[in-house]
Amino acid sequence: GHLSVEGLIHEIDSFPASLVGPGTFMFTPINDDAPSSEVCLLSIFVHPAIRLKVMTILTALVDNHHSDSDINLTISTEPYSLLRVRGTSSTATVADVLSFNWMDI
C-alpha cells in the first residue's frame, strides 16, 4: 500500500513562515513484505510553478544530510495530473465519466 497525504512546503528552517506552496506526498514501501519498514520511496508532487524552488530545497536538504544517511534523490520532471474526486459515490462517478468497465479488471 501507498500512503498519500497533502501538506505545505516551506523554506528550510523557516516554518511557519516562508511558505513555498502545497504538495502531495506519497509514501511507498520499498519492500511490500515488510510494510512497517523504515525504508520507503517518497514522491512529492507539486505545481510546476514551484517545481524549481522545491528541487532546490530538496537538493540542499540531501546535501546537508548526505554524509550521515542513505538518502538518494532522483528528480523527475514528468508531467502528472491529479484528479481528486471525493464523496461516497466517487468511484462510481469516475467509472461513469470514464466509461470504465469493471469486467475488464
Side-chain angles (χ1 to χ4, degrees):
H2 303 285
L3 171 63
S4 181
V5 296
E6 296 177 12
L8 298 174
I9 299 169
H10 295 264
E11 292 281 349
I12 297 173
D13 296 329
S14 66
F15 178 81
S18 301
L19 177 66
V20 174
T24 300
F25 304 85
M26 184 174 7
F27 299 88
T28 306
I30 298 294
N31 183 355
D32 289 335
D33 296 332
S36 62
S37 173
E38 293 181 8
V39 179
C40 70
L41 172 67
L42 170 62
S43 300
I44 304 172
F45 300 94
V46 297
H47 190 276
I50 63 170
R51 181 181 58 87
L52 291 176
K53 185 62 180 172
V54 172
M55 286 172 47
T56 303
I57 291 170
L58 291 174
T59 301
L61 287 172
V62 170
D63 289 347
N64 288 341
H65 298 288
H66 185 66
S67 61
D68 53 326
S69 67
D70 291 329
I71 298 174
N72 295 316
L73 178 63
T74 303
I75 307 276
S76 172
T77 56
E78 292 293 321
Y80 291 96
S81 295
L82 176 61
L83 174 64
R84 195 171 282 133
V85 181
R86 297 181 179 170
T88 56
S89 61
S90 59
T91 303
T93 301
V94 170
D96 288 343
V97 170
L98 299 177
S99 300
F100 186 72
N101 185 355
W102 292 101
M103 302 307 288
D104 291 339
I105 297 180

XYZ file of all heavy atoms in Angstrom:
799
model
N 0.737 -1.166 0.000
C 0.000 0.000 0.000
C 0.803 1.271 0.000
O 1.941 1.329 0.428
N 0.139 2.250 -0.491
C 0.689 3.598 -0.526
C -0.007 4.443 0.536
O -1.159 4.213 0.866
C 0.442 4.262 -1.879
C 0.986 3.511 -3.038
N 2.325 3.473 -3.326
C 0.381 2.770 -3.991
C 2.506 2.743 -4.398
N 1.343 2.302 -4.823
N 0.705 5.431 1.042
C 0.111 6.423 1.921
C 0.303 7.764 1.240
O 1.424 8.150 0.899
C 0.790 6.428 3.292
C 0.385 7.575 4.224
C -1.097 7.487 4.569
C 1.236 7.570 5.469
N -0.779 8.472 0.999
C -0.714 9.758 0.329
C -1.305 10.816 1.241
O -2.418 10.659 1.739
C -1.483 9.698 -0.991
O -1.409 10.923 -1.661
N -0.547 11.883 1.469
C -1.007 12.982 2.321
C -0.700 14.312 1.635
O 0.187 14.401 0.796
C -0.350 12.956 3.725
C -0.754 11.717 4.494
C 1.159 13.035 3.630
N -1.447 15.306 2.014
C -1.216 16.651 1.493
C -0.561 17.492 2.575
O -0.818 17.304 3.760
C -2.539 17.279 1.064
C -3.193 16.549 -0.084
C -4.535 17.139 -0.464
O -4.862 18.245 -0.006
O -5.245 16.488 -1.232
N 0.294 18.405 2.157
C 0.967 19.257 3.114
C 1.489 20.516 2.457
O 1.281 20.747 1.261
N 2.155 21.314 3.237
C 2.724 22.569 2.758
C 4.241 22.491 2.826
O 4.800 21.927 3.770
C 2.213 23.735 3.593
C 0.702 23.957 3.552
C 0.300 25.052 4.528
C 0.251 24.303 2.149
N 4.891 23.075 1.846
C 6.352 23.083 1.785
C 6.821 24.486 2.131
O 6.313 25.472 1.582
C 6.841 22.668 0.383
C 6.350 21.244 0.071
C 8.363 22.769 0.292
C 6.543 20.823 -1.363
N 7.773 24.569 3.052
C 8.339 25.839 3.496
C 9.825 25.865 3.179
O 10.448 24.832 2.966
C 8.147 26.009 5.011
C 6.717 26.110 5.426
N 6.099 27.301 5.615
C 5.785 25.157 5.672
C 4.843 27.104 5.970
N 4.630 25.794 6.012
N 10.396 27.051 3.202
C 11.845 27.192 3.091
C 12.487 26.439 4.258
O 11.863 26.241 5.310
C 12.254 28.666 3.164
C 11.812 29.492 1.983
C 12.699 29.302 0.774
O 13.775 28.690 0.896
O 12.299 29.761 -0.302
N 13.731 26.037 4.101
C 14.443 25.298 5.145
C 14.537 26.150 6.410
O 14.889 27.330 6.359
C 15.848 24.902 4.655
C 15.726 23.955 3.464
C 16.660 24.255 5.784
C 17.037 23.625 2.798
N 14.219 25.530 7.546
C 14.301 26.162 8.873
C 13.496 27.445 8.980
O 13.903 28.386 9.677
C 15.764 26.438 9.259
C 16.577 25.171 9.410
O 15.993 24.138 9.810
O 17.784 25.198 9.136
N 12.350 27.518 8.313
C 11.582 28.760 8.378
C 10.118 28.562 8.767
O 9.364 29.519 8.770
C 11.636 29.470 7.023
O 10.976 28.691 6.054
N 9.708 27.328 9.090
C 8.315 27.079 9.451
C 7.953 27.894 10.678
O 8.731 27.968 11.609
C 8.093 25.591 9.730
C 6.693 25.275 10.152
C 5.695 25.146 9.205
C 6.372 25.138 11.481
C 4.395 24.866 9.587
C 5.076 24.861 11.879
C 4.088 24.724 10.926
N 6.837 28.573 10.726
C 5.691 28.576 9.816
C 5.747 29.684 8.758
O 4.788 29.873 8.023
C 4.508 28.800 10.746
C 5.055 29.684 11.816
C 6.502 29.245 11.983
N 6.851 30.389 8.661
C 6.973 31.456 7.664
C 7.528 30.889 6.353
O 7.815 29.708 6.237
C 7.894 32.557 8.195
N 7.699 31.735 5.376
C 8.315 31.413 4.078
C 7.691 30.202 3.391
O 8.365 29.253 3.006
C 9.819 31.207 4.245
O 10.416 32.368 4.762
N 6.389 30.258 3.213
C 5.667 29.197 2.523
C 6.046 29.183 1.047
O 6.041 30.210 0.382
C 4.161 29.401 2.664
C 3.271 28.411 1.927
C 3.426 27.014 2.513
C 1.821 28.865 1.993
N 6.391 27.992 0.537
C 6.701 27.827 -0.880
C 5.427 27.434 -1.627
O 5.129 27.969 -2.680
C 7.800 26.766 -1.092
C 8.020 26.487 -2.560
C 9.089 27.215 -0.429
N 4.672 26.488 -1.082
C 3.420 26.069 -1.702
C 2.984 24.694 -1.247
O 3.666 24.034 -0.468
N 1.849 24.236 -1.761
C 1.324 22.925 -1.365
C 1.997 21.790 -2.126
O 2.556 21.983 -3.203
C -0.156 23.023 -1.752
C -0.159 23.947 -2.921
C 0.949 24.948 -2.656
N 1.922 20.613 -1.528
C 2.449 19.420 -2.179
C 1.669 18.201 -1.743
O 1.033 18.200 -0.698
N 1.710 17.183 -2.571
C 1.132 15.891 -2.211
C 2.295 14.929 -2.028
O 3.154 14.808 -2.897
C 0.181 15.375 -3.319
O -0.873 16.319 -3.492
C -0.404 14.025 -2.947
N 2.340 14.286 -0.876
C 3.442 13.400 -0.509
C 2.937 11.968 -0.524
O 2.002 11.623 0.184
C 3.958 13.750 0.890
C 4.383 15.188 1.024
C 3.455 16.176 1.320
C 5.704 15.544 0.835
C 3.842 17.503 1.429
C 6.098 16.869 0.935
C 5.161 17.847 1.238
N 3.551 11.113 -1.347
C 3.148 9.718 -1.427
C 4.300 8.841 -0.950
O 5.399 8.893 -1.501
C 2.753 9.320 -2.846
C 2.237 7.906 -2.893
S 1.553 7.267 -4.448
C 1.858 8.461 -5.655
N 4.011 8.069 0.089
C 4.986 7.145 0.659
C 4.678 5.741 0.150
O 3.556 5.253 0.278
C 4.902 7.161 2.188
C 5.192 8.504 2.789
C 4.184 9.441 2.972
C 6.489 8.835 3.157
C 4.456 10.681 3.519
C 6.764 10.074 3.711
C 5.746 10.998 3.890
N 5.685 5.074 -0.418
C 5.535 3.721 -0.938
C 6.610 2.851 -0.310
O 7.795 3.164 -0.426
C 5.701 3.715 -2.479
O 4.801 4.651 -3.049
C 5.444 2.338 -3.033
N 6.225 1.759 0.364
C 7.236 0.868 0.938
C 8.110 0.264 -0.158
O 7.618 -0.088 -1.228
C 6.428 -0.214 1.640
C 5.008 0.176 1.555
C 4.868 1.297 0.592
N 9.398 0.163 0.113
C 10.317 -0.442 -0.839
C 10.103 -1.950 -0.882
O 10.118 -2.570 -1.929
C 11.791 -0.141 -0.460
C 12.054 1.360 -0.509
C 12.755 -0.903 -1.342
C 11.954 1.973 -1.883
N 9.871 -2.538 0.275
C 9.672 -3.983 0.390
C 8.220 -4.229 0.794
O 7.837 -3.950 1.919
C 10.633 -4.549 1.431
C 10.540 -6.057 1.550
O 9.703 -6.689 0.920
N 11.398 -6.628 2.380
N 7.406 -4.746 -0.124
C 5.994 -4.991 0.167
C 5.788 -6.029 1.263
O 4.749 -6.062 1.900
C 5.250 -5.439 -1.095
C 5.080 -4.301 -2.084
O 5.084 -3.138 -1.643
O 4.960 -4.581 -3.281
N 6.783 -6.889 1.484
C 6.666 -7.922 2.510
C 6.826 -7.348 3.912
O 6.431 -7.968 4.885
C 7.706 -9.023 2.297
C 7.486 -9.762 0.984
O 6.319 -9.811 0.525
O 8.470 -10.261 0.422
N 7.425 -6.181 4.009
C 7.648 -5.553 5.314
C 7.161 -4.108 5.280
O 7.954 -3.184 5.251
C 9.127 -5.610 5.684
N 5.829 -3.889 5.263
C 5.307 -2.531 5.138
C 5.648 -1.624 6.313
O 5.577 -0.412 6.192
C 3.800 -2.733 5.023
C 3.536 -4.078 5.595
C 4.793 -4.884 5.370
N 6.068 -2.195 7.437
C 6.424 -1.361 8.577
C 7.890 -0.925 8.525
O 8.381 -0.280 9.432
C 6.150 -2.114 9.884
O 6.963 -3.279 9.933
N 8.578 -1.295 7.467
C 9.986 -0.939 7.312
C 10.156 0.569 7.290
O 9.295 1.312 6.835
C 10.535 -1.534 6.014
O 11.839 -1.056 5.774
N 11.285 1.031 7.775
C 11.571 2.461 7.778
C 12.038 2.948 6.409
O 12.161 4.130 6.179
C 12.632 2.777 8.828
C 12.151 2.552 10.248
C 13.217 2.898 11.269
O 14.265 3.439 10.892
O 12.989 2.613 12.446
N 12.307 2.029 5.491
C 12.782 2.393 4.163
C 11.582 2.512 3.233
O 10.768 1.607 3.132
C 13.765 1.333 3.621
C 14.236 1.710 2.241
C 14.940 1.170 4.569
N 11.474 3.670 2.593
C 10.360 3.869 1.673
C 10.772 4.815 0.550
O 11.800 5.479 0.620
C 9.139 4.422 2.393
S 9.316 6.125 2.934
N 9.948 4.826 -0.465
C 10.099 5.757 -1.570
C 9.141 6.903 -1.302
O 7.959 6.681 -1.052
C 9.738 5.058 -2.888
C 9.654 5.925 -4.129
C 11.032 6.469 -4.499
C 9.071 5.127 -5.281
N 9.649 8.129 -1.330
C 8.820 9.309 -1.119
C 8.721 10.060 -2.435
O 9.731 10.478 -2.996
C 9.412 10.225 -0.045
C 8.765 11.611 0.095
C 7.300 11.487 0.481
C 9.534 12.438 1.105
N 7.507 10.204 -2.928
C 7.260 11.005 -4.129
C 6.557 12.281 -3.693
O 5.608 12.225 -2.907
C 6.378 10.241 -5.113
O 6.987 9.044 -5.514
N 7.039 13.398 -4.184
C 6.440 14.687 -3.846
C 5.935 15.315 -5.135
O 6.710 15.568 -6.052
C 7.457 15.626 -3.160
C 8.047 14.955 -1.920
C 6.796 16.952 -2.801
C 9.194 15.725 -1.299
N 4.636 15.557 -5.190
C 4.011 16.154 -6.360
C 3.690 17.609 -6.051
O 3.016 17.897 -5.059
C 2.730 15.393 -6.734
C 2.980 13.946 -7.056
C 2.858 12.963 -6.085
C 3.355 13.566 -8.331
C 3.090 11.628 -6.376
C 3.596 12.231 -8.639
C 3.467 11.265 -7.658
N 4.198 18.516 -6.895
C 3.979 19.946 -6.688
C 3.546 20.596 -7.993
O 3.722 20.030 -9.078
C 5.251 20.652 -6.156
C 5.650 20.099 -4.790
C 6.398 20.545 -7.140
N 3.024 21.781 -7.878
C 2.632 22.560 -9.055
C 3.889 22.958 -9.823
O 4.926 23.259 -9.219
C 1.858 23.808 -8.618
C 1.219 24.521 -9.751
N 1.898 25.435 -10.523
C -0.039 24.447 -10.251
C 1.091 25.904 -11.456
N -0.097 25.324 -11.318
N 3.822 22.967 -11.153
C 5.008 23.334 -11.953
C 5.587 24.712 -11.609
O 6.788 24.927 -11.762
C 4.486 23.320 -13.390
C 3.327 22.400 -13.367
C 2.705 22.548 -12.010
N 4.774 25.615 -11.105
C 5.256 26.957 -10.774
C 6.252 26.952 -9.614
O 7.077 27.860 -9.506
C 4.084 27.882 -10.456
N 6.201 25.940 -8.747
C 7.128 25.897 -7.604
C 8.125 24.750 -7.718
O 8.909 24.499 -6.806
C 6.374 25.815 -6.255
C 5.558 24.521 -6.148
C 5.507 27.036 -6.041
C 4.996 24.265 -4.766
N 8.108 24.042 -8.848
C 8.971 22.869 -9.020
C 10.443 23.177 -8.815
O 11.143 22.485 -8.078
C 8.747 22.260 -10.403
C 9.586 21.033 -10.675
C 9.343 20.480 -12.057
N 9.598 21.428 -13.121
C 10.795 21.631 -13.687
N 11.823 20.944 -13.273
N 10.936 22.502 -14.651
N 10.955 24.243 -9.430
C 12.379 24.567 -9.302
C 12.754 24.919 -7.876
O 13.814 24.525 -7.377
C 12.748 25.701 -10.255
C 12.717 25.335 -11.735
C 13.002 26.565 -12.596
C 13.711 24.238 -12.047
N 11.877 25.652 -7.186
C 12.158 26.020 -5.792
C 12.189 24.771 -4.908
O 13.073 24.616 -4.060
C 11.103 27.009 -5.288
C 11.382 27.521 -3.916
C 12.681 28.285 -3.886
C 12.990 28.805 -2.516
N 14.336 29.371 -2.440
N 11.245 23.862 -5.117
C 11.208 22.625 -4.333
C 12.432 21.771 -4.629
O 13.029 21.182 -3.724
C 9.892 21.853 -4.586
C 9.916 20.484 -3.935
C 8.703 22.658 -4.092
N 12.845 21.703 -5.883
C 14.055 20.960 -6.236
C 15.273 21.537 -5.518
O 16.122 20.788 -5.019
C 14.269 20.991 -7.749
C 13.313 20.105 -8.503
S 13.370 20.264 -10.313
C 15.091 20.206 -10.686
N 15.357 22.852 -5.441
C 16.470 23.500 -4.739
C 16.459 23.150 -3.254
O 17.502 22.837 -2.672
C 16.390 25.031 -4.922
O 16.403 25.319 -6.319
C 17.538 25.730 -4.243
N 15.289 23.179 -2.646
C 15.161 22.859 -1.215
C 15.546 21.406 -0.962
O 16.325 21.104 -0.044
C 13.728 23.137 -0.725
C 13.459 24.645 -0.726
C 13.492 22.544 0.658
C 12.012 25.010 -0.494
N 15.027 20.478 -1.773
C 15.341 19.059 -1.578
C 16.819 18.770 -1.786
O 17.426 18.001 -1.033
C 14.500 18.195 -2.517
C 13.006 18.148 -2.217
C 12.275 17.376 -3.303
C 12.753 17.528 -0.860
N 17.406 19.388 -2.789
C 18.840 19.190 -3.038
C 19.664 19.680 -1.855
O 20.602 19.004 -1.418
C 19.262 19.918 -4.327
O 18.481 19.398 -5.409
C 20.732 19.704 -4.627
N 19.305 20.834 -1.312
C 20.019 21.363 -0.145
C 19.862 20.448 1.061
O 20.826 20.203 1.799
C 19.518 22.770 0.181
N 18.663 19.920 1.286
C 18.440 19.004 2.411
C 19.263 17.732 2.273
O 19.879 17.270 3.229
C 16.957 18.653 2.527
C 16.043 19.743 3.063
C 14.592 19.313 2.941
C 16.387 20.049 4.513
N 19.283 17.161 1.083
C 20.042 15.929 0.861
C 21.537 16.202 0.986
O 22.262 15.416 1.603
C 19.696 15.322 -0.515
C 20.646 14.194 -0.862
C 18.264 14.827 -0.518
N 22.015 17.301 0.434
C 23.438 17.637 0.535
C 23.864 17.836 1.981
O 24.960 17.437 2.375
C 23.755 18.890 -0.277
C 23.701 18.644 -1.779
O 23.662 17.460 -2.186
O 23.671 19.631 -2.538
N 22.995 18.433 2.803
C 23.323 18.684 4.209
C 23.358 17.408 5.043
O 24.056 17.336 6.039
C 22.315 19.655 4.830
C 22.505 21.062 4.322
O 23.547 21.407 3.792
N 21.475 21.872 4.466
N 22.591 16.395 4.648
C 22.489 15.179 5.451
C 23.040 13.953 4.744
O 22.899 12.845 5.240
C 21.024 14.927 5.828
C 20.438 16.017 6.662
N 20.787 16.212 7.968
C 19.559 16.997 6.356
C 20.135 17.256 8.443
N 19.384 17.755 7.478
N 23.683 14.138 3.619
C 24.135 13.001 2.820
C 25.191 12.160 3.538
O 25.193 10.937 3.424
C 24.677 13.485 1.475
C 25.046 12.360 0.564
N 24.105 11.493 0.057
C 26.245 11.937 0.092
C 24.702 10.594 -0.690
N 25.999 10.843 -0.701
N 26.056 12.782 4.303
C 27.151 12.039 4.928
C 26.674 11.085 6.016
O 27.322 10.090 6.289
C 28.179 13.010 5.514
O 27.566 13.807 6.513
N 25.524 11.354 6.641
C 25.075 10.502 7.736
C 23.766 9.772 7.420
O 23.046 9.373 8.305
C 24.932 11.316 9.024
C 24.068 12.555 8.838
O 24.116 13.124 7.753
O 23.382 12.939 9.797
N 23.466 9.562 6.137
C 22.253 8.825 5.798
C 22.383 8.184 4.411
O 23.316 8.463 3.666
C 21.047 9.758 5.822
O 21.144 10.694 4.782
N 21.441 7.345 4.109
C 21.403 6.671 2.809
C 20.296 7.258 1.940
O 19.497 6.551 1.357
C 21.163 5.170 2.990
C 22.353 4.474 3.622
O 23.477 4.947 3.381
O 22.158 3.487 4.336
N 20.242 8.564 1.849
C 19.212 9.237 1.061
C 19.675 9.334 -0.382
O 20.780 9.772 -0.664
C 18.930 10.652 1.610
C 18.396 10.573 3.025
C 17.944 11.379 0.703
C 18.234 11.927 3.679
N 18.809 8.903 -1.282
C 19.055 9.053 -2.711
C 17.974 9.959 -3.268
O 16.793 9.727 -3.048
C 19.011 7.702 -3.419
C 20.129 6.799 -2.964
O 21.256 7.236 -2.837
N 19.814 5.550 -2.709
N 18.373 10.977 -3.991
C 17.422 11.928 -4.562
C 17.395 11.772 -6.070
O 18.426 11.867 -6.732
C 17.832 13.362 -4.190
C 16.964 14.487 -4.740
C 15.555 14.383 -4.193
C 17.582 15.830 -4.388
N 16.217 11.497 -6.587
C 16.020 11.411 -8.028
C 14.936 12.403 -8.397
O 13.851 12.372 -7.816
C 15.587 9.992 -8.450
O 16.575 9.069 -8.001
C 15.439 9.894 -9.944
N 15.232 13.271 -9.326
C 14.282 14.291 -9.749
C 13.670 13.862 -11.077
O 14.384 13.529 -12.020
C 14.968 15.661 -9.930
C 15.748 16.049 -8.686
C 13.968 16.709 -10.352
C 14.987 16.692 -7.596
N 12.368 13.876 -11.135
C 11.666 13.588 -12.385
C 10.831 14.804 -12.749
O 10.170 15.385 -11.893
C 10.750 12.374 -12.211
O 9.955 12.220 -13.359
N 10.877 15.171 -13.989
C 10.081 16.310 -14.442
C 8.934 15.851 -15.328
O 8.379 16.641 -16.078
C 10.965 17.321 -15.198
O 11.608 16.647 -16.283
C 12.012 17.912 -14.286
N 8.590 14.576 -15.218
C 7.468 14.052 -15.985
C 6.189 14.766 -15.553
O 5.944 14.932 -14.362
C 7.297 12.552 -15.743
C 8.412 11.714 -16.293
C 8.446 11.732 -17.810
O 7.380 11.717 -18.435
O 9.557 11.768 -18.357
N 5.371 15.186 -16.507
C 4.112 15.840 -16.131
C 3.092 14.817 -15.628
O 2.963 13.732 -16.184
C 3.639 16.481 -17.438
C 4.274 15.668 -18.502
C 5.580 15.162 -17.944
N 2.434 15.140 -14.561
C 1.394 14.295 -13.988
C 0.132 15.123 -13.824
O 0.187 16.339 -13.693
C 1.804 13.752 -12.611
C 2.922 12.759 -12.657
C 4.238 13.149 -12.438
C 2.670 11.427 -12.917
C 5.273 12.235 -12.486
C 3.705 10.502 -12.963
C 4.993 10.913 -12.743
O 6.002 10.011 -12.785
N -0.978 14.448 -13.784
C -2.246 15.095 -13.500
C -2.816 14.458 -12.248
O -2.681 13.259 -12.027
C -3.237 14.910 -14.646
O -2.777 15.551 -15.798
N -3.446 15.269 -11.448
C -4.048 14.780 -10.220
C -5.537 15.077 -10.282
O -5.935 16.230 -10.390
C -3.428 15.467 -8.997
C -4.020 15.121 -7.636
C -3.859 13.634 -7.349
C -3.361 15.942 -6.556
N -6.333 14.032 -10.268
C -7.780 14.152 -10.266
C -8.260 13.712 -8.900
O -8.019 12.578 -8.482
C -8.388 13.261 -11.360
C -9.906 13.174 -11.402
C -10.496 14.544 -11.734
C -10.342 12.142 -12.419
N -8.923 14.610 -8.200
C -9.369 14.308 -6.846
C -10.893 14.378 -6.821
O -11.459 15.444 -7.023
C -8.759 15.311 -5.881
C -8.861 14.893 -4.452
C -8.048 15.824 -3.561
N -6.640 15.485 -3.647
C -5.660 16.365 -3.832
N -5.926 17.631 -3.970
N -4.407 15.975 -3.885
N -11.530 13.231 -6.614
C -12.983 13.158 -6.511
C -13.285 12.574 -5.145
O -12.813 11.496 -4.809
C -13.586 12.276 -7.623
C -15.098 12.238 -7.512
C -13.159 12.778 -8.988
N -14.090 13.283 -4.369
C -14.362 12.835 -3.005
C -15.855 12.602 -2.823
O -16.676 13.198 -3.497
C -13.876 13.881 -2.005
C -12.384 14.074 -2.081
C -11.897 15.072 -1.092
N -10.447 15.176 -1.219
C -9.736 16.087 -0.642
N -10.298 16.994 0.109
N -8.429 16.120 -0.799
N -16.182 11.762 -1.898
C -17.580 11.500 -1.580
C -17.889 10.022 -1.610
O -17.071 9.202 -2.020
N -19.097 9.699 -1.193
C -19.470 8.290 -1.061
C -19.625 7.590 -2.399
O -19.475 6.377 -2.481
C -20.789 8.159 -0.269
O -21.798 8.951 -0.922
C -20.607 8.638 1.159
N -19.923 8.327 -3.454
C -20.103 7.678 -4.757
C -19.007 8.086 -5.743
O -19.211 8.060 -6.949
C -21.481 8.013 -5.325
O -21.606 9.403 -5.505
N -17.834 8.432 -5.226
C -16.765 8.923 -6.094
C -16.280 7.866 -7.087
O -16.041 8.166 -8.251
C -15.598 9.449 -5.269
O -15.088 8.437 -4.434
N -16.146 6.628 -6.668
C -15.683 5.570 -7.570
C -16.683 5.348 -8.702
O -16.303 5.239 -9.870
C -15.458 4.258 -6.805
O -14.525 4.494 -5.750
C -14.925 3.163 -7.713
N -17.966 5.310 -8.367
C -18.994 5.123 -9.391
C -19.040 6.310 -10.346
O -19.222 6.140 -11.560
C -20.354 4.918 -8.734
N -18.844 7.509 -9.841
C -18.857 8.706 -10.681
C -17.708 8.676 -11.674
O -17.897 8.938 -12.863
C -18.769 9.984 -9.814
O -19.870 10.005 -8.909
C -18.775 11.225 -10.672
N -16.502 8.352 -11.208
C -15.341 8.272 -12.095
C -15.564 7.174 -13.133
O -15.265 7.350 -14.315
C -14.045 8.039 -11.294
C -12.885 7.720 -12.212
C -13.733 9.259 -10.441
N -16.090 6.048 -12.711
C -16.351 4.949 -13.640
C -17.346 5.357 -14.719
O -17.170 5.026 -15.893
C -16.859 3.727 -12.884
N -18.388 6.100 -14.343
C -19.379 6.551 -15.318
C -18.782 7.552 -16.295
O -19.014 7.482 -17.500
C -20.586 7.185 -14.623
C -21.452 6.154 -13.918
O -21.324 4.957 -14.229
O -22.256 6.571 -13.061
N -17.994 8.484 -15.783
C -17.410 9.523 -16.631
C -16.400 8.931 -17.602
O -16.341 9.302 -18.772
C -16.753 10.626 -15.771
C -15.932 11.572 -16.612
C -17.816 11.389 -14.993
N -15.605 7.992 -17.138
C -14.568 7.398 -17.978
C -15.058 6.176 -18.735
O -14.271 5.525 -19.425
C -13.359 7.011 -17.117
C -12.675 8.162 -16.388
C -11.543 7.627 -15.520
C -12.144 9.187 -17.375
N -16.327 5.856 -18.607
C -16.898 4.652 -19.237
C -16.074 3.418 -18.883
O -15.725 2.599 -19.723
C -16.974 4.820 -20.754
O -17.785 5.913 -21.084
N -15.761 3.299 -17.622
C -14.944 2.198 -17.116
C -15.759 0.930 -17.031
O -16.859 0.914 -16.504
C -14.380 2.578 -15.740
C -13.420 1.593 -15.181
C -12.139 1.479 -15.728
C -13.749 0.802 -14.113
C -11.239 0.578 -15.210
C -12.850 -0.107 -13.597
C -11.595 -0.220 -14.145
N -15.219 -0.159 -17.528
C -15.894 -1.440 -17.473
C -15.226 -2.292 -16.404
O -14.085 -2.728 -16.575
C -15.834 -2.136 -18.848
C -16.637 -3.424 -18.868
O -17.167 -3.861 -17.843
N -16.745 -4.027 -20.037
N -15.910 -2.551 -15.301
C -15.345 -3.308 -14.177
C -14.976 -4.724 -14.600
O -14.131 -5.353 -13.980
C -16.343 -3.348 -13.014
C -16.529 -2.016 -12.392
C -17.562 -1.159 -12.591
C -15.627 -1.350 -11.498
N -17.379 0.001 -11.852
C -16.202 -0.101 -11.173
C -14.396 -1.686 -10.939
C -15.598 0.795 -10.324
C -13.808 -0.786 -10.079
C -14.380 0.445 -9.789
N -15.597 -5.251 -15.629
C -15.316 -6.618 -16.069
C -13.943 -6.729 -16.741
O -13.425 -7.824 -16.919
C -16.403 -7.101 -17.034
C -17.806 -7.072 -16.427
S -17.937 -7.935 -14.840
C -17.810 -9.601 -15.406
N -13.358 -5.592 -17.113
C -12.046 -5.612 -17.755
C -10.901 -5.800 -16.775
O -9.756 -5.988 -17.174
C -11.803 -4.322 -18.542
C -12.706 -4.220 -19.768
O -13.199 -5.274 -20.214
O -12.904 -3.097 -20.248
N -11.188 -5.734 -15.509
C -10.128 -5.850 -14.496
C -9.711 -7.293 -14.340
O -10.448 -8.181 -14.276
C -10.579 -5.260 -13.128
C -10.837 -3.791 -13.279
C -9.536 -5.517 -12.081
C -11.286 -3.113 -12.024
